[in-house]
Amino acid sequence: METYILILLCIASFVAGFIDAIAGGGGLIQTPVAMILLPNYPVSSLLGSLKIPGFTGTSIASLQYLKKVDMNWKLLIIMALFSSTTAFLGSYLVTIVSNDFMKPLLLCILVLVAIYTFIKKDFGSHKPKDLPAKRLTLYGVLISAIIGFYDGFIGPGTGSFLILGFIIILGFDFLHASANAKMVNMASNIGSLALFISKGKIIWLIAIPMALCNGLGGWLGAKTAIKKGNQFIRIFFLIVVVGTLIRLSYDVFLK
């Protein structure tokens, strides 16, 4: 592998880690870059390898959030278990079936999310909902199971979808949604990694240096999000949603 290719992959991974720590969607950057720069590698191997930097960046960002943001540990542990399990199943399924049929549906959803986030200026800045414990747990299980499966099966935008679920359904503000989403996303990465490692799909030559750069980006992104607060995260979230929208539009209409 040419040195400049590895350098470009590491730069993309750093940017991905920074953005993902704030609003999710880091996969929208490093996945296409890896596909373009390494066209001769199997797609399954690239996707498996990118889970390593994704997991590293998410983990380091989570540690930063843990220092400053309160977590609902009982809810998070339950969500993490479901997220990791369904992500493993999603990653297994993607090895035997095509996931293209879901992209048009996701495209429609993202259009609505982008419009709603742009129009509703106080989205993600409101006071938390006071949901009953049983309902909070039920909603958390549904969110983590569905989005965990999505992470293993498709991937890009998982962090953004988790943030969206925490805000709309569980009633978190942007800062707390982003912090808690990182913990659930970390669990889904573990589930997917278990599958890809067991299948021998990791290219360690790119996975390890990209992980270091993604981790640095995740550390810086989380510190920036904590310092800047809800409105800053809202703007970043909207940018990521629009980016996801453009990516899926390309896949559905042009690719």
Side-chain angles (χ1 to χ4, degrees):
M1 184 182 299
E2 299 288 344
T3 303
Y4 80 91
I5 291 179
L6 191 57
I7 292 173
L8 291 175
L9 287 171
C10 287
I11 292 173
S13 192
F14 171 81
V15 176
F18 180 84
I19 292 176
D20 197 73
I22 298 172
L28 294 169
I29 296 173
Q30 65 180 7
T31 302
V33 170
M35 297 291 187
I36 292 169
L37 294 176
L38 302 171
N40 296 324
Y41 283 80
V43 173
S44 59
S45 295
L46 291 178
L47 293 177
S49 301
L50 294 178
K51 286 294 180 182
I52 298 289
F55 171 75
T56 304
T58 300
S59 300
I60 292 177
S62 297
L63 290 175
Q64 294 302 310
Y65 280 117
L66 284 174
K67 297 176 182 178
K68 300 291 184 180
V69 181
D70 293 331
M71 302 287 186
N72 185 331
W73 286 108
K74 182 179 179 180
L75 176 65
L76 280 177
I77 290 172
I78 294 172
M79 292 181 71
L81 290 173
F82 278 90
S83 179
S84 60
T85 302
T86 56
F88 181 93
L89 296 174
S91 293
Y92 173 75
L93 189 60
V94 81
T95 64
I96 58 177
V97 300
S98 171
N99 59 25
D100 287 342
F101 68 93
M102 289 190 66
K103 290 178 180 177
L105 174 62
L106 291 171
L107 184 62
C108 295
I109 294 173
L110 284 170
V111 169
L112 296 176
V113 170
I115 293 173
Y116 185 80
T117 306
F118 181 75
I119 293 176
K120 192 170 178 60
K121 303 299 184 182
D122 63 343
F123 178 64
S125 300
H126 51 273
K127 293 182 179 180
K129 294 179 182 177
D130 187 19
L131 293 174
K134 289 185 177 179
R135 189 180 300 177
L136 185 70
T137 301
L138 175 61
Y139 289 167
V141 166
L142 292 174
I143 291 169
S144 57
I146 293 170
I147 300 180
F149 182 84
Y150 168 83
D151 189 24
F153 192 51
I154 298 178
T158 296
S160 301
F161 283 123
L162 281 171
I163 291 172
L164 195 65
F166 271 104
I167 292 174
I168 293 179
I169 300 175
L170 301 182
F172 287 44
D173 61 32
F174 259 118
L175 180 60
H176 286 80
S178 186
N180 284 269
K182 288 290 158 291
M183 303 297 290
V184 179
N185 198 5
M186 184 169 60
S188 67
N189 280 332
I190 291 173
S192 290
L193 272 175
L195 186 282
F196 285 120
I197 291 175
S198 68
K199 296 286 186 180
K201 297 293 185 181
I202 308 297
I203 308 169
W204 295 103
L205 176 64
I206 65 171
I208 292 179
M210 288 183 72
L212 295 174
C213 294
N214 197 288
L216 180 60
W219 174 79
L220 184 60
K223 292 183 74 68
T224 303
I226 293 168
K227 181 178 180 180
K228 298 292 185 180
N230 283 318
Q231 190 58 29
F232 173 79
I233 301 174
R234 175 186 175 274
I235 294 171
F236 243 87
F237 178 80
L238 185 58
I239 292 171
V240 171
V241 167
V242 172
T244 310
L245 188 59
I246 293 171
R247 165 71 188 282
L248 285 174
S249 297
Y250 171 76
D251 286 348
V252 171
F253 298 114
L254 299 176
K255 191 173 181 179

